[in-house]
């Protein structure tokens, strides 16, 4: 699946009829559908406290970005749900969020034909980019349509929250504020729509471990929303309003993250932020040229992979 940035903005989490494909020598056609599952970044993240259910109460401004996974679904013979994935390290059984999403929808759909889902992974795992959650959200939406289940977006979000706290945010287009354990989602307008340089370290970080390392320190309610102020329309102003209460915890769990961030900031003079529980770092820039220039400096000076992406803005989603 080859798509441009513009296509991603338009197609993020929408379903498109897929092309005829060749799989294991056999032609699959006709009933094939595809979806794009974009990654996310937490621009701000407040941890407001520990909840009685063991999760943490959050307030976070989240944007979707033009780094995406691709999903293809088509009918097949054999077991009810089969998954193949371009990344052999990712399990394709009930541990996979896509499998869980398909299984939940199948229960609602009666006895649909056995389904094959191909997952084209580009979003790194355990990177704070929400890849597994976005894949699940895209599959819920795709199968709701394919099997004519007729669930509303709100019902899909409810179902999604059973799979993971971040799934519902991918079922609302554009920038959002999330609350509760992540399942409360409010669409918002982000005054800035620029470019981002993502730094993708060669290590992932386990989310649950980072939350366990949280020491009770966090921002007050409302602080996370300050980046939505109209004054934050430039990268410089926005960057001043960004913070992440999980960053120190992630640095304690994985000291290489702290060292990498220090190295990046010392070498480039740009500020880098952690998304979610890590391990991805990002810098905000106003122009594509400036983002490309920064991107070119990162591998030679810091020895890590990086990539330029765009925020999927409200207007892109209309
Ligand atoms: O909901 P999800 O399965 O994505 O969360 C992974 C882990 O992160 C949870 O098991 C929990 O330990 C932690 N978590 C949390 N508070 C949240 C979200 C996640 O403590 N709001």
């Amino acid at each position: 699946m080859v798509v441009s940035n513009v296509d991603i903005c338009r197609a993020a989490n929408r379903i498109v009829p897929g092309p005829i494909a060749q799989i294991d020598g056999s032609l699959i056609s006709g009933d094939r559908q595809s979806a794009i599952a974009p990654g996310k970044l937490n621009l701000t993240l407040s941890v407001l406290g520990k909840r009685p259910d063991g999760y943490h109460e959050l307030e976070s401004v989240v944007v979707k970005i033009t780094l995406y996974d691709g999903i293809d679904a088509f009918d097949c013979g054999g077991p009810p749900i089969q998954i193949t994935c371009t990344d052999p390290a990712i399990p394709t059984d009930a541990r996979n969020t896509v499998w869980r999403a398909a299984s939940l929808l199948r229960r609602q759909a009666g006895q649909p034909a056995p389904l094959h889902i191909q997952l084209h992974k580009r979003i790194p795992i355990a990177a704070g980019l929400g890849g597994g959650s976005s894949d699940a959200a895209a599959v819920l939406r795709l199968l709701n349509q394919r099997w004519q289940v007729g669930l509303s977006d709100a019902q899909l979000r409810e179902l999604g929250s059973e799979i993971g706290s971040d799934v519902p945010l991918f079922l609302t287009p554009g920038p959002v504020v999330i609350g509760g354990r992540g399942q409360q989602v409010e669409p918002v307008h982000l005054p800035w729509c620029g470019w981002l340089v993502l730094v993708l370290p060669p290590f992932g970080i386990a989310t649950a471990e980072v939350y366990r390392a949280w020491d009770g320190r966090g921002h007050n309610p409302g602080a996370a929303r300050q980046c939505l102020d109209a004054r934050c329309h430039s990268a410089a102003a926005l960057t001043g309003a960004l913070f992440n209460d999980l960053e120190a915890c992630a640095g304690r769990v994985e000291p290489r993250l702290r060292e990498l961030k220090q190295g990046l900031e010392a070498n480039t003079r740009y500020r880098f932020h952690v998304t979610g529980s890590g391990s991805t770092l990002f810098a905000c820039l106003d122009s594509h040229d400036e983002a490309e220039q920064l991107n070119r400096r990162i591998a030679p000076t810091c020895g890590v992979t990086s990539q330029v992406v765009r925020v999927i803005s409200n207007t892109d989603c209309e």
Side-chain angles (χ1 to χ4, degrees):
M1 198 193 294
V2 179
V3 262
S4 71
N5 277 356
V6 175
D7 291 331
I8 299 158
C9 293
R10 294 213 182 101
N13 265 343
R14 298 209 184 125
I15 297 129
V16 288
I20 291 174
Q22 182 106 35
I23 295 152
D24 299 336
S26 55
L27 272 183
I28 311 289
S29 67
D31 65 351
R32 189 180 176 95
Q33 286 173 305
S34 304
I36 280 172
K40 60 89 176 159
L41 289 179
N42 300 82
L43 292 182
T44 53
L45 197 161
S46 290
V47 182
L48 301 173
K50 189 146 186 207
R51 298 157 48 105
D53 62 7
Y55 284 81
H56 292 76
E57 189 73 13
L58 305 179
E59 187 177 45
S60 176
V61 172
V62 186
V63 293
K64 284 78 168 205
I65 56 171
T66 57
L67 172 63
Y68 61 90
D69 288 340
I71 287 158
D72 290 323
F74 47 88
D75 292 347
C76 63
I81 301 164
Q82 296 157 57
I83 297 176
T84 47
C85 183
T86 48
D87 181 347
I90 295 177
T92 52
D93 54 19
R95 288 168 292 172
N96 193 309
T97 54
V98 161
W99 193 96
R100 277 149 62 203
S103 167
L104 281 173
L105 248 279
R106 201 182 144 74
R107 228 175 285 162
Q108 307 258 348
Q111 292 298 319
L115 183 80
H116 192 116
I117 300 176
Q118 280 184 320
L119 189 49
H120 306 266
K121 281 307 282 183
R122 291 156 182 258
I123 305 173
I125 51 171
L129 295 168
S133 302
S134 187
D135 297 342
V139 165
L140 286 179
R141 201 174 258 171
L142 190 153
L143 296 184
N144 189 41
Q145 189 193 78
R146 183 184 185 87
W147 290 337
Q148 299 178 353
V149 183
L151 296 181
S152 66
D153 283 352
Q155 287 171 314
L156 286 178
R157 280 194 289 274
E158 182 78 35
L159 214 52
S161 69
E162 290 180 32
I163 303 168
S165 308
D166 281 346
V167 177
L169 74 89
F170 289 105
L171 292 161
T172 301
V176 293
V177 174
I178 57 168
R181 69 175 169 93
Q183 86 284 17
Q184 294 164 12
V185 186
E186 176 195 339
V188 289
H189 175 75
L190 183 73
W192 179 78
C193 182
W195 298 84
L196 299 143
V197 174
L198 299 187
V199 176
L200 305 162
F203 51 84
I205 306 182
T207 304
E209 242 186 280
V210 173
Y211 276 104
R212 262 199 303 277
W214 184 62
D215 58 6
R217 270 182 285 184
H219 286 70
N220 293 326
R225 291 173 179 269
Q226 280 169 16
C227 68
L228 300 172
D229 190 289
R231 282 170 294 191
C232 295
H233 58 80
S234 68
L238 178 77
T239 293
L242 303 192
F243 66 88
N244 182 341
D245 287 344
L246 290 178
E247 181 177 326
C249 325
R252 282 196 294 277
V253 170
E254 179 47 89
R256 284 179 291 176
L257 182 70
R258 217 169 30 212
E259 286 158 26
L260 178 59
K261 181 176 152 147
Q262 283 164 0
L264 284 163
E265 294 188 338
N267 280 309
T268 67
R269 302 275 160 205
Y270 281 88
R271 269 196 67 190
F272 284 82
H273 313 272
V274 173
T275 173
S277 51
S279 59
T280 303
L281 293 148
F282 65 95
C284 303
L285 301 109
D286 287 322
S287 81
H288 184 239
D289 281 355
E290 195 187 357
E292 287 293 353
Q293 272 177 33
L294 173 60
N295 187 40
R296 280 195 290 274
R297 289 166 58 198
I298 289 175
T301 53
C302 299
V304 277
T305 308
S306 64
Q307 162 169 6
V308 175
V309 298
R310 238 193 95 188
V311 168
I312 300 177
S313 73
N314 306 66
T315 18
D316 291 322
C317 300
E318 278 161 12

